[in-house]
Amino acid sequence: MDQHIAESIGRPDLIRLDDRLVCLRFETMKVVSALAAVRHLLDTGVVRRGDTLLDSSSGIYAYALALTCHRYGLRCHIVGSATVDHTLRTQLAVLGATLEQMEPCSDLKLDQKRRVERIHEILAAHPEYHWMRQYHDDVHYLGYRAIADRIREATGTDGLTVVGGVGSGASTGALTRYLREGTGDCAGTADVELVGVQPYGSVTFGSEHVSDTEMIIAGIGSSIPFGNVSHALYDTLHWVSFEAALAGSVDLLRRHAVFAGLSTGAGYLAARHERERSPHRTVLFIAPDTGHRYVDTVYARHREAAPIADLAPREVTDRSDLALPWSRMRWNRAAA
């Protein structure tokens, strides 16, 4: 029996959509990162009950950290972007977390820069606060080991392709690192490929020169470098526009009844393509959150969604050739 709702929320479902396509579906994925990270910090004495944990967030990590602090008797302070909506603000307040929300800004890079600057100001005034550094501290990898073990048991690692948004680097990076470790006689021999999904405009894999005028899928990209992204883990990259991700999200709900966020739609689109390219491999894609935040911006526009059969990625060998709405490139586990 779970001791706290955070443990339940962080436990994913493994759903087989067809014989070679599997969805790893979370209610709120970053709870996995936050719970394990904070538990480790408590166990090692870095923080103690009653301390204040601090971080910057565009929304989902704020909720995860607030739940975790509630679970372990810690205080939580969030410097949030303008994308933190009314529902989340209300939940954070009731959970006891404090939120400083930035003023609206059309420039994602400036928004992130302002939030980090504010973090440093707070730390200067309160050096006793612990900055979680979700984008740079690999303590956020820890929670994914148990999930990797569960995937290994369910699908095996002989011809497994993992597809997911790159984001902070923790989820796809940690899962793949743990899956490639193997176990027993298979240690170090697991056949696991990693396919990362990015929005246009993200600096992480060099698409900042291509802008998506409709909307940036912020949760899977970045306007500043993230230390937790291990570029050498990735075999292939897909860059997916809002328009293509919308089509993927709508098709996933219509065809498989999975109601998930916009980054999931992008991952689903990439996963279907990788499955068709490699008929001998099982493809697992990550659905990091539900679709509730996207009812108005995505699902209310379902009649605009292009049939996914009409969509295919532009194959590129150089990032200078990236183009909307969808591009694919072999990364071949290259360094940053």
Side-chain angles (χ1 to χ4, degrees), residues 30 62 89-90 111 118 142 165 174 186 189 201 204 211 232 248 293 307 312:
K30 288 194 174 181
R89 288 198 302 271
T90 303
D111 175 69
R118 179 58 186 147
L142 298 175
C186 298
T189 62
T204 309
S211 62
R293 293 196 305 154

Side-chain angles (χ1 to χ4, degrees), residues 54-117:
L54 168 71
D55 215 340
S56 163
S57 173
S58 59
I60 296 300
Y61 187 78
Y63 179 52
L65 189 60
L67 283 172
T68 300
C69 288
H70 188 277
R71 166 74 176 85
Y72 288 116
L74 296 151
R75 295 184 176 88
C76 177
H77 188 86
I78 299 294
V79 178
S81 74
T83 58
V84 177
D85 60 22
H86 174 71
T87 300
L88 180 54
R89 288 198 302 271
T90 303
Q91 285 179 286
L92 293 176
V94 176
L95 285 167
T98 53
L99 170 69
E100 292 185 43
Q101 192 164 12
M102 295 288 102
E103 293 296 322
C105 178
S106 59
D107 186 330
L108 180 61
K109 184 173 184 177
L110 179 59
D111 175 69
Q112 288 184 322
K113 180 174 180 289
R114 285 164 55 194
R115 281 188 275 143
V116 172
E117 288 174 348

Side-chain angles (χ1 to χ4, degrees), residues 98 122 177 183:
T98 53
I122 294 170
R177 183 170 290 174
T183 58

Side-chain angles (χ1 to χ4, degrees), residues 14 16 22 150-158 160 282 284:
L14 270 170
R16 188 174 291 280
V22 177
R150 186 176 169 200
I151 293 169
R152 186 183 294 108
E153 292 173 6
T155 68
T157 54
D158 184 14
L160 176 66
T282 295
L284 177 145

Side-chain angles (χ1 to χ4, degrees), residues 212-235:
D212 187 345
T213 57
E214 180 81 48
M215 174 181 168
I216 294 175
I217 312 172
I220 58 174
S222 175
S223 63
I224 58 175
F226 287 167
N228 275 342
V229 177
S230 178
H231 292 71
L233 290 171
Y234 294 84
D235 296 280

